[in-house]
């Protein structure tokens, strides 16, 4: 009784602390978390665990089959995602994702599927269910960040907490993408929905802030989006083939 009371107090205090920082900048991007929708029916924690144990040493890389990649352009249709500076997140993510798909297919022996390839509404469970049904080797969700503090800018990527290969995928893409931004916000961990219910290593990238005038003016340029796409693709290549 005493202990549970103490625990309850601790939980209340820590949740207040988490919700409280009025002046500190938000640390975690505002994207749908694990509890936004029920899990897809084909989510298999055992498969996920096995995929995370896979070792990427020289020999296994040499023997590796061509990867099946699922690219997930964030938001779409009824859900514009973040908006600002005349831009919509759903348009930027789709454009960057299509450019990434095209670059990979033209340059690497990989099979690429997209959770959407036009401006359509796709639920989170459909996105993850789609990737699980295709037995993808890895999953890359593309997003654009936003903050009430309009000076916040730069790049960050995410992996599911504790996922070894997810963290490596997030790190490889981050290392490629960071040259496009002056603010390097790091590789972070958070249980976003699409990172929680994918059976394979997954990352979620936040390439710039739509709420920041400088990031937004870069994102508005197709040449910049093409650079981001190439960097995403090179990061995926490094993840799978090691160079
Ligand atoms: Zn988003």
């Amino acid at each position: 009784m005493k202990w549970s009371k103490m625990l309850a107090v601790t939980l209340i205090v820590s949740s207040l602390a988490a919700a409280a920082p009025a002046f500190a900048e938000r640390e975690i991007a505002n994207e749908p978390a694990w509890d936004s929708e029920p899990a897809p029916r084909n989510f298999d924690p055992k498969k996920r665990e096995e995929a995370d144990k896979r070792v990427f040493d020289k020999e296994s890389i040499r023997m590796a089959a061509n990867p099946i990649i699922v690219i997930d352009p964030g938001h779409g249709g009824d859900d514009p995602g973040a908006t600002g500076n005349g831009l919509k997140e759903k348009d930027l993510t789709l454009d960057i994702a299509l450019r990434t798909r095209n670059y990979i297919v033209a340059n690497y022996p990989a099979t690429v599927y997209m959770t959407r390839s036009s401006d359509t509404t796709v639920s989170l469970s459909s996105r993850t269910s789609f990737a699980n049904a295709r037995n993808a080797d890895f999953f890359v969700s593309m997003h654009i960040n936003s903050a009430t503090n309009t000076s916040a800018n730069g790049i960050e990527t995410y992996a599911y907490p504790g996922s070894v290969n997810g963290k490596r995928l997030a790190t490889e893409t981050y290392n490629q993408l960071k040259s496009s931004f002056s603010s390097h916000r790091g590789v972070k961990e958070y249980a976003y929905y699409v990172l929680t219910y994918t059976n394979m290593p997954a990352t979620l990238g936040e390439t710039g802030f739509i709420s920041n005038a400088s990031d937004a003016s870069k994102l508005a340029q197709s040449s910049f989006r093409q650079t981001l796409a190439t960097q995403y693709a090179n990061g995926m290549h490094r993840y799978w083939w090691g160079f």
Side-chain angles (χ1 to χ4, degrees):
M1 195 65 181
K2 237 182 187 172
W3 185 84
S4 63
K5 215 173 189 181
M6 242 172 82
L7 180 68
V9 170
T10 310
L11 285 174
I12 289 164
V13 169
S14 56
S15 64
L16 282 175
F23 303 105
E25 200 178 290
R26 180 176 46 78
E27 286 299 319
I28 294 297
N30 182 27
E31 305 292 355
W34 63 275
D35 56 354
S36 303
E37 281 179 31
R41 277 204 269 170
N42 64 2
F43 171 59
D44 183 345
K46 273 190 192 139
K47 267 193 187 170
R48 173 202 186 84
E49 204 177 301
E50 283 307 306
D52 205 39
K53 278 187 197 150
R54 183 177 175 151
V55 176
F56 285 79
D57 57 17
K58 272 193 178 142
E59 180 62 9
S60 61
I61 286 170
R62 193 177 65 80
M63 298 297 288
N66 297 333
I68 298 168
I69 305 169
V70 170
I71 298 177
D72 175 44
H75 314 281
D78 296 338
D79 170 18
T83 56
N85 289 297
L87 301 171
K88 288 178 187 159
E89 181 183 2
K90 67 171 183 176
D91 299 330
L92 299 172
T93 59
L94 178 60
D95 185 79
I96 295 164
L98 288 169
R99 288 172 188 276
T100 306
R101 191 266 315 265
N102 293 345
Y103 185 90
I104 293 172
V105 169
N107 292 285
Y108 307 142
T111 302
V112 182
Y113 296 109
M114 310 264 296
T115 56
R116 67 179 178 100
S117 48
S118 61
D119 185 19
T120 48
T121 307
V122 184
S123 70
L124 298 165
S125 58
S126 300
R127 292 169 197 260
T128 46
S129 165
F130 176 88
N132 294 344
R134 273 146 198 84
N135 278 314
D137 290 296
F138 57 93
F139 180 96
V140 178
S141 189
M142 299 182 176
H143 288 261
I144 307 295
N145 224 328
S146 180
T148 45
N149 171 8
T150 56
S151 66
N153 70 96
I155 167 83
E156 62 193 28
T157 63
Y158 288 87
Y160 186 75
S163 167
V164 175
N165 284 332
K167 186 74 172 278
R168 210 167 64 75
L169 179 61
T171 303
E172 293 291 6
T173 47
Y174 178 81
N175 286 343
Q176 298 298 313
L177 288 161
K178 67 183 185 182
S179 68
S180 290
F181 299 92
S182 49
S183 175
H184 301 157
R185 301 168 59 90
V187 177
K188 303 180 178 183
E189 294 187 341
Y190 193 70
Y192 290 117
Y193 185 97
V194 295
L195 303 181
T196 305
Y197 295 120
T198 32
N199 291 345
M200 68 292 306
T203 187
L204 184 149
E206 297 276 357
T207 51
F209 282 69
I210 208 165
S211 46
N212 176 260
S214 169
D215 276 4
S217 76
K218 290 197 288 183
L219 287 163
Q221 295 166 29
S222 59
S223 59
F224 183 74
R225 298 193 301 271
Q226 183 60 42
T227 301
L228 295 181
T230 308
Q231 291 169 333
Y232 259 126
N234 289 338
M236 294 182 216
H237 188 276
R238 285 191 63 90
Y239 170 76
W240 191 254
W241 285 287
F243 64 92

